[in-house]
Structures are given as structure tokens and as C-alpha cells.
Amino acid sequence: MPSEFELIARYFVQRNEGETTGVALGAGDDCALLVPTPGQQLAVSVDTSVVDVHFPAGAPAWAVGHRALAVSLSDLAAMGAWARWCTMAVTLPEADEAWLDAFSQGFHALCREYGVALVGGDVTRGELSISVAVHGEVPVGAALCRSGGQADDIIAVTGPLGGGHGGLRAWQQGRRDLDDPLLARYLLPQPRLAAGLALRGLAHCAIDISDGLLADLSHLCDASRLGAELDMTQLPLATGLEALLGTQDARHAALCGGDDYELLFSLPASSLDEARRRLRECGVDLWPVGRLRDGAGIAGVDTRAIKGWQHFPGGSS
Amino acid sequence: MPSEFELIARYFVQRNEGETTGVALGAGDDCALLVPTPGQQLAVSVDTSVVDVHFPAGAPAWAVGHRALAVSLSDLAAMGAWARWCTMAVTLPEADEAWLDAFSQGFHALCREYGVALVGGDVTRGELSISVAVHGEVPVGAALCRSGGQADDIIAVTGPLGGGHGGLRAWQQGRRDLDDPLLARYLLPQPRLAAGLALRGLAHCAIDISDGLLADLSHLCDASRLGAELDMTQLPLATGLEALLGTQDARHAALCGGDDYELLFSLPASSLDEARRRLRECGVDLWPVGRLRDGAGIAGVDTRAIKGWQHFPGGSS
């Protein structure tokens, strides 16, 4: 059986053929040495994906690799930052080389797609989980924070919702074909990095939808000290979601399901056309779903009956 | 039971009272926004600590918090980098608030000691593990890489060895008092950040001893394309180690035990006095343990019978 060092070398260091801009020293020493771009702030985030919590035990390893990186990159997208570097710590029960091979292929393919360099890693023994820390750059003053929303801003999203939850339900029903649109939304989310960049200077605030539209809109509202009004009839639903769940549960999934990884943002009505134009250039649409307003709370939905996904549910209201 | 967001807010964001220099936006948004120092490279590393692999299930939570951060900071020390920021992803089976309270106290205490800002985190459900990514800074050209060793360099360490292994054995024998020097070495390692800084410009190469002197010296030798000769009679042994294990096993632990987190470095004999003087100012001694030389392999020990700790043992020779 190969050693920890051999696994790291074979599946992570040697395959790291992508971007090397700004990497003075890559993986293989005690630290990587990176060269930040003058005048840019460093945007940093970390997300952990745990088996049977964030992805099912039987998910294809390459999809697990893709997904673990995608959900972290999504945080950079929500900040309007451009992705530069990442580190990846994987914990797995045994040194399963076939699994690691496919996992690292999925991971590195997404690295290449967005020009991200994997600059450090750790392989440890334990229950399967992957923790990815991402590093992006954004010019001073250009980041899309949660706190910048303004009353009367239009609230909009970059894509149809509910697919993350719908894909989980489809998986639980035995579907396994990742060409299925719902399964793809669940297991192969696309980080909206180009969209985040396009929204710089237009959006007042942004967040990615990982906990569900309602929960993440609450985070935006709390940070911006505003309330919001949603228009349930305007919620874009993921392809195949109504067929799977029926209209009422599909809307519920779009509101609360989470794991969609679209951007949720606010902008003045006067910027709507320009934002739509820029997003289309990135291959993304813009769906208005409501409006920010003075006050607190989210109107237009019954928030008592529904809650976003939380890993330790309870407590908060 | 509190929500994931409440746990993060209560135990990680609110307690983050330490260093804020270079933090334009701290934890609580999609990303933190950091301000790199002009002219410095960014040193980045990640380490995961898994229950019953890296620390025992019954270890005090504050020690687990200290240790999880310390082992990552140790990588910055080995690079000669100064610690600035960290992110921390904790996975735990249930939202045990007493455990999280003590854990975060140990983590934040070490943050304060070294002026490190916790700028992001993730709390997920699963087997107990902690993944800490650290970010330090080092002037261009000043980093202590593994590859810089030169033939005839003196090989030295910053402290006594074998304590990590000895502490594990003491724990297994039922000792629980963290004032015990061996238990302290195992569960409360001190990252040698000041020592790493002091060695800039003197040491040709450096690494931290996490896998054992022999394994880590092999990494140094491989990267520097050199061999080495160890003097077994010069190995500094941790306090209490010989009493616990006997002389032969104590030397074995010092060679192969791992988890010591002292720095292992090489430097020309002409720099020895200056290095010793600088290290003493940091409260650290310098122990010469051998010499780098042309060729391959490590002389002075029987490398066939002994191996450094690896999480997936086997394979490598």
C-alpha cells in the first residue's frame, strides 16, 4: 500500500498541471509560497464536505472531487473575487487508489477550468471528508459584501433553484445518471465566478445560495439591516423539479432546499438591464425574485413553516 | 440546540478578539478579505487533525484546539514565515457546546499568543476532525525551503525529540496531567515561529518534525539531493523519555516517533554560533545532530528496522 507521501505526490502534486501564475513554490514543501497581486485584497474561505451529509456515500469519486472544490469556489464568486489558489485536506478511511484517482481527476478538472492552482494538501485517515480552502483576489473596494444592500433594491438570482434538493431526492429514489439535470445540479454545481465578476460595480450585495434562498436572503437582510419581500410566482424552478415533486413542494425546495450555489444579489432597478446583459455574456440569466425594503423579516412567504437546511437544526428562529 | 450559524458566531466569530491588522473583513461573510503586505510572499499550509489518529478521543477540548492550530503554525515556522491569518473547519458528531467552548478557548488563546486572526470557519457534522489552513508572510527570497541544503552543512534541531511519541505512550498508560512534560509535548506542542524567523539568512533549509526526525530528514535530503550522517549520541531526548521507555526505545522514539514539532534545519558550521545566539533569544536551544553530505541515504542509523509514522504505512522505503 502506498504511503501518505506517495498518495499526495501521485494524485495531487503531479497532476497539478494547471495555473502556476503567482505560485513561487507549489505543493511539496512545508508551505506553498504565493505572490499576491499588488492592489488586490485576498479573499479567503473554507468549506468542508462530509460523506452522507453533503454528498451520498455512493457518489462517483470524480463528482465528489468536483463538488468539494465547487462549493468553496462559490464563496469566492459571491464575493466578486477571482479564484487563484486552493488547498485541499482529504480524510478517508483507507488508501483506496481507484477512488483517489477519480476524485483527483474531478478536482483537477475544475481547477483547470477556472485557472486555480492546488498549492497544498493533507491526506489523513478517518471518515471520508474533504476540506477545501480557496484564495481569490479582488480589487480594494470592489468586493460584493453581504452588508451593502439598500432599500428598494431588486433581489435577483443567477439561476433556477431547488435543483440541489431535487437532485438529492432523485438520488434517494435510485437515479444515478449524472446527465439527469437534477442530479447534475446536486452533484456537479457550477461556481458562478464569471457572474460574480460581472456583478462588480452593479450589485450592492451578494451571497451564494448554499443554505436555501430563504436562509441566505435572511443572512443578506441581517447584514444589510433590511427586510425583504419575495414574489413566490417569480421563483425560477430547476428543470425537472416540478415533475419530480409537484408544484408546491418544488417551490418549497426552491425556497429552502439549499445546495443550489447560484448567486443571490441585490441591485438598483436602474442597473437591471446592464446586469442582465453582462450576465448573459457569462452564459447566465438574471431572475428578479423580490425587493429589499426597510424594516425586518421576509414578506411574501410563510417563514414559520419552512427552514433552510442547517447541519445542527433547531434554536434559531 | 443551537444552529450551525449560532455555533460559529458564539464560539468563533465573537471570540476573535485578537489581531485585526491586515483584515479588511473578518469572518461572517462569504469570504474574509485580507490585505497582504507589499513585498511579501504568502506562505500557505493546511493540516487536518483527526480524533484517535492525531489526538486521543478523551483529550481535553482546549488542548485539541491548541494542538490543531499549533501543528499548522509549525509549517509556517519551518518556512521562516510569520503567521498572520487562519481558517478553521471543524467536523463534530454533535453540537456539544461545552466541548466547543473549551476547544475554541484553546484555539483562540494560541491565536492571541502569535497574533493570528481567525478569518473564516466551517462547522459540519461528522466524525471529529479539525482542518486548519494558515497564512503567513515572508519577504521574497527569505523563505527556508527544504531544497536549500548544502553538503557539509551541520544538521540541527531546535529542541529535544521523542516527546510526541512518549506523550502518546504516557497517555495510553493512563497519565492525564498535562503538566507532565511528555503529555505536554504530545498535546500542547509549541510552534517554533520565532525560531524560524531567527533562522532566516542563516539556515540553508528547514522542515518541522511531524513525521519523525528520520522521515523528515529524508524529506530534506531528497529535496536538497543530498545524503546525511546522523550522530545518534547527540540526539537530544525529551525530559522523562528515557525513564518511560529506556535508553534504546527513547532513541528510537526520537528518531521515528514524530509529532515533536521542533524545527530541523541545516546551516554552515560558520553560522552555528550566530544561530545559537539568535535562538537563545527566542528561548530555544540548538542541538547539532549530524551533517549533510554528497550522495544519498542517511548513515549512522539502521534505517531498515525503523520507520517514521505514516498514516497509510507501507510502500515507501
Side-chain angles (χ1 to χ4, degrees):
Chain A
M1 199 156 77
S3 72
E4 175 188 3
F5 311 120
E6 288 169 320
L7 293 176
I8 291 174
R10 192 173 306 165
Y11 295 112
F12 299 107
V13 177
Q14 288 164 12
R15 287 191 175 163
N16 197 11
E17 69 211 11
E19 195 59 41
T20 56
T21 317
V23 181
L25 184 69
D29 210 303
D30 292 290
C31 295
L33 292 176
L34 311 177
V35 185
T37 308
Q40 304 267 317
Q41 290 180 330
L42 189 69
V44 173
S45 184
V46 62
D47 273 297
T48 302
S49 299
V50 181
V51 64
D52 285 334
V53 177
H54 302 90
F55 59 90
W62 63 273
V64 176
H66 170 105
R67 194 181 186 286
L69 176 58
V71 302
S72 285
L73 291 178
S74 180
D75 284 317
L76 293 179
M79 215 72 196
W82 195 242
R84 304 278 330 255
W85 310 292
C86 68
T87 63
M88 193 265 297
V90 58
T91 300
L92 68 172
E94 55 182 351
D96 180 338
E97 289 206 67
W99 192 92
L100 270 173
D101 186 21
F103 170 83
S104 77
Q105 287 192 23
F107 192 95
H108 284 297
L110 195 62
C111 279
R112 280 193 298 276
E113 187 173 343
Y114 290 103
V116 179
L118 175 66
V119 297
D122 192 16
V123 177
T124 49
R125 181 164 48 83
E127 185 187 53
L128 180 60
S129 76
I130 308 104
S131 190
V132 180
V134 289
H135 305 74
E137 293 191 318
V138 58
V140 176
L144 306 173
C145 301
R146 295 183 182 179
S147 56
Q150 296 181 16
D152 297 321
D153 274 1
I154 304 289
I155 302 165
V157 296
T158 53
L161 305 177
H165 177 81
L168 169 61
R169 294 281 294 271
W171 179 274
Q172 288 167 339
Q173 291 177 9
R175 293 196 209 168
R176 291 295 181 268
D177 180 2
L178 294 198
D179 288 334
D180 178 304
L182 288 176
L183 281 185
R185 295 286 296 180
Y186 171 44
L187 290 174
L188 299 172
Q190 291 301 324
R192 298 301 185 197
L193 285 159
L197 219 65
L199 289 172
R200 281 187 197 164
L202 293 180
H204 286 154
C205 67
I207 190 171
D208 68 321
I209 302 181
S210 53
D211 299 311
L213 172 62
L214 206 55
D216 290 310
L217 179 57
S218 294
H219 297 320
L220 272 192
C221 286
D222 290 348
S224 296
R225 299 175 187 272
L226 290 169
E229 179 151 11
L230 278 181
D231 181 348
M232 289 294 291
T233 63
Q234 293 202 296
L235 288 192
L237 300 181
T239 305
L241 193 64
E242 285 188 273
L244 183 74
L245 301 178
T247 300
Q248 189 173 344
D249 279 4
R251 283 194 182 162
H252 189 180
L255 268 182
C256 308
D259 288 340
D260 281 323
Y261 300 102
E262 296 294 344
L263 300 186
L264 170 67
F265 56 98
S266 89
L267 75 180
S270 58
S271 298
L272 210 51
D273 288 343
E274 172 65 6
R276 189 174 271 124
R277 190 191 63 73
R278 289 196 202 168
L279 289 180
R280 281 199 181 134
E281 285 180 1
C282 315
V284 168
D285 275 320
L286 182 158
W287 279 270
V289 297
R291 193 176 280 270
L292 291 179
R293 58 178 200 177
D294 287 318
I298 298 175
V301 286
D302 180 357
T303 53
R304 289 166 303 180
I306 44 185
K307 294 180 75 69
W309 169 261
Q310 292 186 1
H311 295 138
F312 298 107
S316 67
S317 59
Chain B
M1 199 154 81
S3 72
E4 174 188 3
F5 311 119
E6 286 170 321
L7 293 175
I8 292 175
R10 194 174 305 166
Y11 294 112
F12 300 107
V13 176
Q14 288 164 13
R15 288 192 176 162
N16 197 10
E17 68 210 15
E19 194 60 41
T20 55
T21 318
V23 180
L25 183 69
D29 210 304
D30 293 290
C31 293
L33 292 176
L34 311 177
V35 184
T37 309
Q40 305 266 319
Q41 290 179 330
L42 189 69
V44 173
S45 183
V46 63
D47 272 298
T48 303
S49 299
V50 180
V51 67
D52 285 333
V53 178
H54 302 90
F55 60 88
W62 64 272
V64 175
H66 171 105
R67 193 180 186 287
L69 176 58
V71 301
S72 285
L73 292 177
S74 181
D75 284 318
L76 293 179
M79 215 72 195
W82 196 241
R84 301 280 330 256
W85 309 291
C86 68
T87 62
M88 192 267 296
V90 58
T91 300
L92 68 172
E94 54 182 351
D96 179 338
E97 287 206 68
W99 191 93
L100 270 172
D101 185 22
F103 170 84
S104 78
Q105 286 192 22
F107 192 95
H108 284 297
L110 195 63
C111 278
R112 280 192 298 274
E113 187 172 345
Y114 291 102
V116 179
L118 175 67
V119 298
D122 194 15
V123 178
T124 48
R125 181 164 46 85
E127 184 188 52
L128 180 60
S129 76
I130 307 102
S131 191
V132 180
V134 288
H135 306 74
E137 293 191 319
V138 58
V140 175
L144 306 174
C145 300
R146 296 183 182 179
S147 57
Q150 296 180 17
D152 298 322
D153 274 1
I154 304 288
I155 302 166
V157 295
T158 52
L161 305 178
H165 179 81
L168 169 62
R169 293 282 293 273
W171 179 274
Q172 290 168 338
Q173 291 177 10
R175 293 196 210 169
R176 292 294 181 268
D177 180 1
L178 292 198
D179 287 333
D180 180 304
L182 289 175
L183 281 186
R185 295 288 294 182
Y186 171 44
L187 289 175
L188 299 172
Q190 291 299 324
R192 298 300 184 199
L193 285 159
L197 219 67
L199 290 171
R200 280 187 195 164
L202 294 179
H204 286 152
C205 65
I207 190 172
D208 69 320
I209 302 181
S210 53
D211 299 313
L213 172 63
L214 206 58
D216 289 311
L217 179 57
S218 294
H219 297 321
L220 273 192
C221 286
D222 289 349
S224 296
R225 298 173 188 276
L226 291 169
E229 180 151 11
L230 278 181
D231 182 347
M232 289 294 291
T233 65
Q234 293 203 295
L235 289 192
L237 301 180
T239 305
L241 193 63
E242 285 187 275
L244 182 74
L245 300 178
T247 300
Q248 189 172 343
D249 279 5
R251 281 191 183 163
H252 189 179
L255 268 181
C256 308
D259 288 340
D260 282 324
Y261 299 102
E262 295 294 344
L263 300 186
L264 170 68
F265 56 99
S266 89
L267 76 180
S270 59
S271 298
L272 211 50
D273 289 343
E274 172 65 6
R276 189 173 272 126
R277 191 190 64 72
R278 288 195 203 170
L279 289 180
R280 280 199 183 135
E281 286 180 0
C282 317
V284 169
D285 275 319
L286 182 157
W287 279 269
V289 297
R291 195 176 279 270
L292 291 179
R293 58 179 200 177
D294 287 319
I298 298 174
V301 286
D302 182 355
T303 53
R304 288 166 305 180
I306 46 187
K307 295 182 76 67
W309 169 262
Q310 292 185 3
H311 296 138
F312 298 106
S316 67
S317 60

